[in-house]
């Protein structure tokens, strides 16, 4: 981009331009309707990039996942000569057609999308914090109210938060940090206009802003690592990384709190005794499989440390629900927390009933909620009534329909065992036996134990992969300081992030194609395969042909993607089954030691 075009782009953030462009509007123009009356609507056919901006807005509001942004609207007004953006008190973000033209004026859609995502993210940050500084500037005196934060601070915070949201949404925000500091120098001049002061060290202040955005990019990378670890069963490491992110940034998302709640729930399970281990299979929506053992439920005396972890899980799930009270994922997981906490049956009832009332539930989600409701019935004996028969009848009906999930079959078998109905329960244990290789390990082992199968018999017939997962490098579990591993990494990978979080060292390495290696305390934990252009694993069906049926599937945070869990890996795919990323975390048996695959 040429220097003049850079100046034009950054000028959209200039407060002076913003003020002058809105002086013609009536005082008190604080809602969408006012701008609709003042400006003509924009025909997307006239400027096709408007469709891209609308998609970016939708993606960002979904990534954030908070009720203010979910309810927010984007209004693109027909103003070519005044490129600006503004957040209004009614959760509307207004963007001019002139701004859209500037985003994409170079014909570089990757860069244009990053610009648009940053600007929209900046305005959504104002919506979330209710710091509508620009709006106040035209509707009444710009003088700050008592206790109000300074406008320069507010704008800088919105910069950092908006940049982080755009990064979490996978836009190429790193490109906004490249080249000269022209962009940031003009950003500083906006602050100068607000404060009415001259800053001789303008370049230094611009560089300070650049450094702040670079730090946010680092936090966004670590956030993503935390989510990956949570989904691969590395709960303790995920807890450290996500808690660190929570402390270091104001760019909060519902996904963050839901995952924090989930990992604390899993860590609480690890603290519990084995007295009632594997009693029931609770269908928490994030749980797929875990190297940690699933623990007991329903009123067991638990340790103080387990209770403290459950309390934290409850706290985080409640925050996620407060952010969006239609979030059934958090509601279901909160119900699971209550099922583990003694004396919380009434809370479990309230939580699952609340989730069942949410609109738009799929048939599968509703069935899982009903399954949890009947488990609560089964254990609630406050009036000494026998609810076992009602619960058993519901489970039998669900299984007889022929499409019941494995956890429902498992729970019915356990329910019958509890009442000494061994002959009847064996029918259901045997039905699980045929599918045992696709069960999470803890439940597979329980099925085999109940059927009296030895370890060898239980594992016999398990499909072996005919070829390794597609990576270039060395197996997981290898110390990257070993000479042959170091030589391999130095040849093909470079470190893009290195940070100490508590007593854990986190490193992210990337190759030229954007694939990543995640290393914790110098040991490779995971590969993230992003370049699948030359891979045979481009669809979920092709993976199933090689590695067998997936263990489970769940919607990702944006709900337009699905995460499929296989043995040793997860595949992030679109709803049509096209694989977008592979998360590989068990490669020790796939690659020969001391090798460097090309």
């Amino acid at each position: 981009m040429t220097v003049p075009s850079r100046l034009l782009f950054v000028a959209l953030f200039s407060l002076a331009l913003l003020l002058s462009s809105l002086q013609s509007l009536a005082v008190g123009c604080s809602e969408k309707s006012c701008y609709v009356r003042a400006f003509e609507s924009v025909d997307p056919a006239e400027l096709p990039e408007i469709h891209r901006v609308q998609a970016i807005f939708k993606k960002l509001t979904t990534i954030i996942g908070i009720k203010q942004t979910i309810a927010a609207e984007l209004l693109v007004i027909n103003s070519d000569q005044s490129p600006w953006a503004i957040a209004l008190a009614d959760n509307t973000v207004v963007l001019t057609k002139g701004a859209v033209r500037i985003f994409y004026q170079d014909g570089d859609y990757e860069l244009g999308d990053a610009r648009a995502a940053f600007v929209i993210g900046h305005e959504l940050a104002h919506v979330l914090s209710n710091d509508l500084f620009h709006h106040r500037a035209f509707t009444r005196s710009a003088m700050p109210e008592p206790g109000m934060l300074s406008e320069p601070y507010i704008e800088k915070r919105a910069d950092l938060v908006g940049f982080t949201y755009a990064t979490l949404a996978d836009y190429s925000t790193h490109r906004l940090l490249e080249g000269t500091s022209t962009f940031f120098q003009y950003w500083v001049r906006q602050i100068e206009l607000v404060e009415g002061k001259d800053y001789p060290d303008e370049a230094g202040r611009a560089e300070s802003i650049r450094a702040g955005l670079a730090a946010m990019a680092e936090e966004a990378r670590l956030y993503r690592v935390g989510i990956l670890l949570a989904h691969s069963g590395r709960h303790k490491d995920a807890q450290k990384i996500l808690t660190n992110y929570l402390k270091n940034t104001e760019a909060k998302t519902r996904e963050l709190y839901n995952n924090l709640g989930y990992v604390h729930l899993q860590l609480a399970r690890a603290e519990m005794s084995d007295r009632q281990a594997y009693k029931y299979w609770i269908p928490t929506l994030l749980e797929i499989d875990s190297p940690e053992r699933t623990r007991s439920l329903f009123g067991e005396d638990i340790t103080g440390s387990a209770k403290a972890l459950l309390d934290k899980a409850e706290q985080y799930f409640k925050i996620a629900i407060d952010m969006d009270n239609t979030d059934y994922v958090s509601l279901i997981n909160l119900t699971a927390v209550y099922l583990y906490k003694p004396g919380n049956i009434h809370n479990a009832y309230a939580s699952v009933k609340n989730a069942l009332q949410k609109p738009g539930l799929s048939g599968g989600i509703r069935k899982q909620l009903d399954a949890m409701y009947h488990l609560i019935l089964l254990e609630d004996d406050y009036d000494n009534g026998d609810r076992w028969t009602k619960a058993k009848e519901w489970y039998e009906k669900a299984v007889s329909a022929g499409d019941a999930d494995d956890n429902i079959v498992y729970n019915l078998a356990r329910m019958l065992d509890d009442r000494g109905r061994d002959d009847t329960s064996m029918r259901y244990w045997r039905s699980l036996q045929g599918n045992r290789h696709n069960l999470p390990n803890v439940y597979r082992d329980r099925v085999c134990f109940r059927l009296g199968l030895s370890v060898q018999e239980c594992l016999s017939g398990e499909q072996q992969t005919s070829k390794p997962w597609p990576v270039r490098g060395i197996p997981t579990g290898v110390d990257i300081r070993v000479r042959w591993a170091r030589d391999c990494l130095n040849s093909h990978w470079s470190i893009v992030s290195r940070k100490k979080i508590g007593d854990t060292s986190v490193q992210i390495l990337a190759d030229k194609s954007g694939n990543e290696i995640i290393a914790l305390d110098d040991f490779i934990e995971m590969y993230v395969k992003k370049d699948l252009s030359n891979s045979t694993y481009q669809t979920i069906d092709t993976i199933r042909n090689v590695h067998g049926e997936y263990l489970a599937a769940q919607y990702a945070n944006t709900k337009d993607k699905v995460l499929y869990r296989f043995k040793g890996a997860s595949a992030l795919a679109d709803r049509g089954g096209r694989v977008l990323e592979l998360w590989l975390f068990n490669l020790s048996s796939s690659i020969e030691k001391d090798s460097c695959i090309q």
Side-chain angles (χ1 to χ4, degrees), residues 323-518:
M323 286 178 160
D324 175 18
N325 57 17
T326 67
D327 178 17
Y328 59 79
V329 173
S330 294
L331 280 165
I332 292 175
N333 289 334
L334 179 60
T335 302
V337 170
Y338 289 138
L339 290 175
Y340 280 94
K341 294 181 70 171
N344 276 264
I345 282 289
H346 63 291
N347 286 326
Y349 265 129
S351 184
V352 76
K353 285 181 178 178
N354 192 5
L356 280 166
Q357 292 171 0
K358 300 305 174 188
L361 292 178
S362 68
I365 295 297
R366 184 170 294 278
K367 184 176 289 187
Q368 294 291 2
L369 285 167
D370 282 333
M372 295 184 81
Y373 176 77
H374 284 87
L375 284 182
I376 298 168
L377 277 182
L378 183 66
E379 295 295 325
D380 187 8
D381 59 354
Y382 72 95
D383 60 357
N384 296 317
D386 186 3
R387 296 172 176 78
W388 184 85
T389 299
K390 182 177 180 180
K392 178 181 76 73
E393 289 175 350
W394 183 90
Y395 272 88
E396 286 178 334
K397 183 177 179 180
V399 173
S400 65
D403 59 349
D405 289 342
D406 291 327
N407 69 286
I408 292 177
V409 180
Y410 179 96
N411 288 342
L412 176 57
R414 286 291 298 115
M415 194 182 303
L416 293 167
D417 278 353
D418 282 349
R419 287 295 180 98
R421 310 289 178 87
D422 290 8
D423 291 343
T424 307
S425 70
M426 289 304 291
R427 166 189 170 190
Y428 300 107
W429 289 119
R430 291 192 185 100
S431 71
L432 290 169
Q433 178 186 6
N435 194 38
R436 66 188 184 278
H437 300 310
N438 292 321
L439 301 179
N441 293 339
V442 290
Y443 299 111
R444 178 202 64 195
D445 294 345
R446 180 64 185 174
V447 169
C448 292
F449 172 79
R450 185 63 183 82
L451 294 172
L453 299 177
S454 66
V455 174
Q456 291 76 14
E457 290 172 323
C458 192
L459 296 177
S460 66
E462 184 167 5
Q463 180 176 350
Q464 300 297 318
T465 60
S466 59
K467 59 195 223 178
W469 290 101
V471 299
R472 180 175 68 186
I474 50 181
T476 53
V478 171
D479 190 330
I480 62 176
R481 295 168 297 182
V482 175
R483 181 171 180 176
W484 68 268
R486 187 176 66 247
D487 290 343
C488 177
L489 293 174
N490 288 342
S491 300
H492 306 288
W493 302 82
S494 58
I495 295 176
V496 295
S497 177
R498 179 190 284 133
K499 187 169 183 177
K500 190 84 170 178
I501 300 177
D503 58 353
T504 301
S505 170
V506 182
Q507 293 186 61
I508 305 173
L509 301 93
D511 65 9
K512 293 180 180 179
S513 298
N515 303 309
E516 294 177 345
I517 290 175
I518 312 299

Side-chain angles (χ1 to χ4, degrees), residues 15-59:
L15 180 61
L17 178 59
L18 183 60
L19 289 171
S20 63
S21 66
L22 291 175
Q23 285 176 345
S24 61
L25 294 180
V27 173
C29 189
S30 60
E31 297 182 350
K32 173 184 175 183
S33 58
C34 179
Y35 289 87
V36 171
R37 291 193 301 269
F39 293 91
E40 296 179 359
S41 61
V42 181
D43 183 0
E46 178 187 347
L47 187 61
E49 286 80 6
I50 290 177
H51 289 300
R52 299 184 71 91
V53 171
Q54 290 169 335
I56 290 167
F57 182 84
K58 182 178 180 180
K59 185 174 183 180

